[in-house]
Amino acid sequence: MGFGQAIKHVFGNYANFQGRASRSEFWWWYLFVVIVNAIISIPYSIGLGQSTSAMVVDSKTGELVSGGLNGLAVFGIILVVAWGLAILLPTISVSVRRLHDTDRSGAWWWLNFLCCVGGIILLIFYIMPSTPGPNRFGDGPATA
């Protein structure tokens, strides 16, 4: 599965927690998310940089005071939050389907909330090869 096909497939299965997702579908999706995150973080980063450069010293207290976030930083925050909410469900669903592809229950996804080791364990599961042929979660993603 190629990059575009994987993105289309994940968005097409926005909240589908059934079936299996191949390694390529899973990793292409995560590459897409990282690229978009980097792009939409630019307005926030620029706006934050401009906001911090506008800091001044208060003559009465001698403390460094900021005038707050500028419009670009606020727009960037809104953009990042909206994007995060938009991809939350498809990211969870492709992760669960990837676990299914390794013949594991989607309940393993909750390891994300286990400090430090949970993410490492899941990373190992996501890297592991697919179970060949059909498993208890359906046919292999290449044949589905």
Side-chain angles (χ1 to χ4, degrees):
M1 181 174 291
F3 182 78
Q5 187 180 12
I7 305 317
K8 186 176 178 182
H9 192 262
V10 171
F11 276 125
N13 290 289
Y14 195 89
N16 179 12
F17 295 90
Q18 305 296 318
R20 297 167 61 174
S22 64
R23 276 194 290 189
S24 61
E25 177 183 356
F26 178 82
W27 291 112
W28 282 126
W29 171 256
Y30 268 90
L31 177 63
F32 170 71
V33 168
V34 167
I35 290 169
V36 173
N37 282 344
I39 292 169
I40 66 172
S41 302
I42 293 171
Y44 170 71
S45 301
I46 293 170
L48 187 63
Q50 291 172 348
S51 295
T52 56
S53 66
M55 296 178 82
V56 293
V57 176
D58 186 349
S59 59
K60 294 180 184 175
T61 62
E63 293 179 357
L64 198 57
V65 180
S66 172
L69 295 176
N70 69 8
L72 190 58
V74 172
F75 172 73
I77 290 170
I78 293 169
L79 197 60
V80 167
V81 169
W83 170 248
L85 290 173
I87 65 164
L88 179 64
L89 208 52
T91 300
I92 295 171
S93 71
V94 75
S95 299
V96 167
R97 287 185 279 120
R98 178 69 195 124
L99 288 168
H100 288 174
D101 195 41
T102 61
D103 204 22
R104 288 179 178 76
S105 166
W108 282 98
W109 179 85
W110 292 101
L111 283 178
N112 278 308
F113 296 105
L114 185 61
C115 183
C116 303
V117 296
I120 295 169
I121 293 168
L122 283 172
L123 178 63
I124 292 167
F125 288 165
Y126 296 148
I127 292 172
M128 294 178 77
S130 305
T131 54
N135 67 16
R136 62 188 167 140
F137 299 103
D139 293 333
T143 61

